[in-house]
Amino acid sequence: MTSEQPVAHVASVTVTFHPDTDGLLQQLSLLAGQVERRILVDNGSRLPAAFVAAVRALGRDVEIIELEENKGVAAAQNVGIERAREGHADFVLLLDHDSLPAPDMVAALRGAYEQLTAQGHRVAALGPRYVDPRHDNPSPFVRTVGLRRRRCLPGAGRATTPVDHLISSGCLLPMAVLDRVGGMNEGLFIDYVDIEWCLRARHRGYESFGVFAAHMRHSLGDKHIGMLGKKITLHTPARYYYQFRNPLWIYRQPWTTLNWVVIDACRLAVRFVIYALFAAPRRDNIRMMVLGLWHGIRGRLGPLSRAPEADFSRRS
């Protein structure tokens, strides 16, 4: 299997929201020799006409679906997945607009799928190692073992590693598994969407895997701060609302395990302290995190824009 020929029956679904158009065109070019169909789902960005024309000029296998408003990552992914299903795709490759796959990434993921299924695994998702170009530091795969999050790094003779979940960008999903497990939870809107789906698939007997030979460049977060020798990803206050609301809903679902909940809740508490004390605008960060926790306790889902408390007129 080579990167010169599209991997059979794979459709890519890229969700965009005010994308860097040059970077997105580069992504589409990198995908040209890897997938049979390239689908863009834009979340109400009102893409420039010149960019739309440039995308359509890339080939008949490229399609743009422009949503009237920002319906969230999960809803946009579901739109793209349904279009791929209509085109009889066997696999869907999910991507963010700022991800750049290596020329052989899809072939590596597809090859790992064949090997794992031949070994008897029921594969839900496969993901690449990604590097944030701002730090040039490959992100490790992680897996919960007892009450620890274990970093899974490449080793001799080890091509893949089982993981609890993967980031959605770069994920290869078999359409047959999507049919059985269901699509992305649109109520989560953004954040924990990929985690929830992988945990739900695991509850139904499927496994997710990181593939060491598959590589991708991907920018995670708006910026970073250094703390205790680690890079802490920072976002806008609105993102913290979802990052603290959505896990509280997931913790109550039957497809979560107690050890995973304990570990994730501890990490959530640490992030609350960091975002409240060391990341500006602190006042807005605290307000959105508390609002997210309150709505999570109440079981509220959906976009933040429907919350009357969402007022960002003040800045600390």
Side-chain angles (χ1 to χ4, degrees):
M1 189 180 299
T2 66
S3 59
E4 284 74 22
Q5 294 181 343
V7 180
H9 309 301
V10 177
S12 64
V13 173
T14 302
V15 174
T16 67
F17 182 66
H18 299 293
D20 167 29
T21 54
D22 290 338
L24 186 51
L25 286 171
Q26 184 181 1
Q27 180 196 102
L28 292 171
S29 297
L30 289 167
L31 290 170
Q34 302 196 62
V35 301
E36 286 189 331
R37 192 175 182 190
R38 294 167 285 176
I39 302 169
L40 296 185
V41 184
D42 182 71
N43 251 326
S45 302
R46 304 294 187 270
L47 295 171
F51 169 74
V52 173
V55 170
R56 289 175 175 161
L58 292 175
R60 297 180 62 183
D61 65 307
V62 184
E63 179 180 3
I64 299 179
I65 303 172
E66 296 189 76
L67 304 180
E68 290 297 318
E69 60 181 352
N70 184 2
K71 295 183 177 295
V73 169
Q77 288 174 340
N78 284 339
V79 169
I81 289 168
E82 183 57 33
R83 190 59 59 92
R85 182 181 285 109
E86 292 170 358
H88 306 291
D90 293 325
F91 295 87
V92 175
L93 177 72
L94 298 179
L95 289 165
D96 293 346
H97 61 235
D98 56 358
S99 299
L100 296 176
D104 62 348
M105 186 190 83
V106 179
L109 294 174
R110 187 71 174 83
Y113 174 83
E114 295 294 344
Q115 293 174 0
L116 289 165
T117 53
Q119 294 168 7
H121 294 281
R122 302 177 72 204
V123 179
L126 303 108
R129 293 192 78 191
Y130 71 88
V131 174
D132 191 321
R134 295 167 296 186
H135 309 297
D136 199 29
N137 185 23
S139 177
F141 298 115
V142 295
R143 184 184 183 190
T144 300
V145 179
L147 291 177
R148 295 179 55 193
R149 292 178 81 243
R150 178 173 297 174
R151 295 162 60 93
C152 304
L153 299 171
R158 184 169 62 174
T160 62
T161 183
V163 294
D164 297 322
H165 42 74
L166 299 155
I167 66 167
S168 60
S169 192
C171 248
L172 184 70
L173 309 175
M175 188 65 77
V177 177
L178 282 162
D179 290 340
R180 298 185 189 110
V181 174
M184 306 302 148
N185 187 327
E186 298 183 10
L188 298 177
F189 197 76
I190 188 173
D191 288 307
Y192 278 79
V193 173
D194 38 18
I195 293 173
E196 187 274 338
W197 189 88
C198 287
L199 294 178
R200 185 168 13 119
R202 185 177 68 176
H203 182 69
R204 300 194 179 187
Y206 293 95
E207 299 174 88
S208 297
F209 291 88
V211 181
F212 293 114
H215 301 101
M216 178 180 75
R217 297 183 75 81
H218 175 72
S219 298
L220 189 65
D222 300 312
K223 56 184 179 179
H224 296 78
I225 59 173
M227 186 170 294
L228 300 177
K230 295 183 178 181
K231 295 290 185 180
I232 307 298
T233 302
L234 301 181
H235 296 280
T236 63
R239 285 291 298 275
Y240 297 145
Y241 168 79
Y242 298 107
Q243 289 178 3
F244 283 80
R245 182 198 68 177
N246 291 349
L248 265 67
W249 182 85
I250 293 175
Y251 295 165
R252 299 195 295 268
Q253 304 311 308
W255 48 82
T256 56
T257 58
L258 180 59
N259 64 329
W260 183 87
V261 170
V262 170
I263 291 172
D264 195 75
C266 290
R267 296 180 71 245
L268 202 66
V270 171
R271 291 202 298 268
F272 188 99
V273 173
I274 292 172
Y275 301 151
L277 298 181
F278 304 104
R282 292 183 292 274
R283 184 180 302 173
D284 285 341
N285 291 345
I286 293 170
R287 187 152 44 86
M288 287 298 101
M289 289 187 293
V290 171
L291 180 61
L293 291 170
W294 173 238
H295 284 175
I297 291 171
R298 295 172 59 189
R300 172 198 163 91
L301 294 179
L304 170 62
S305 59
R306 294 177 187 167
E309 301 94 332
D311 175 13
F312 295 98
S313 59
R314 294 178 293 154
R315 289 290 179 266
S316 59

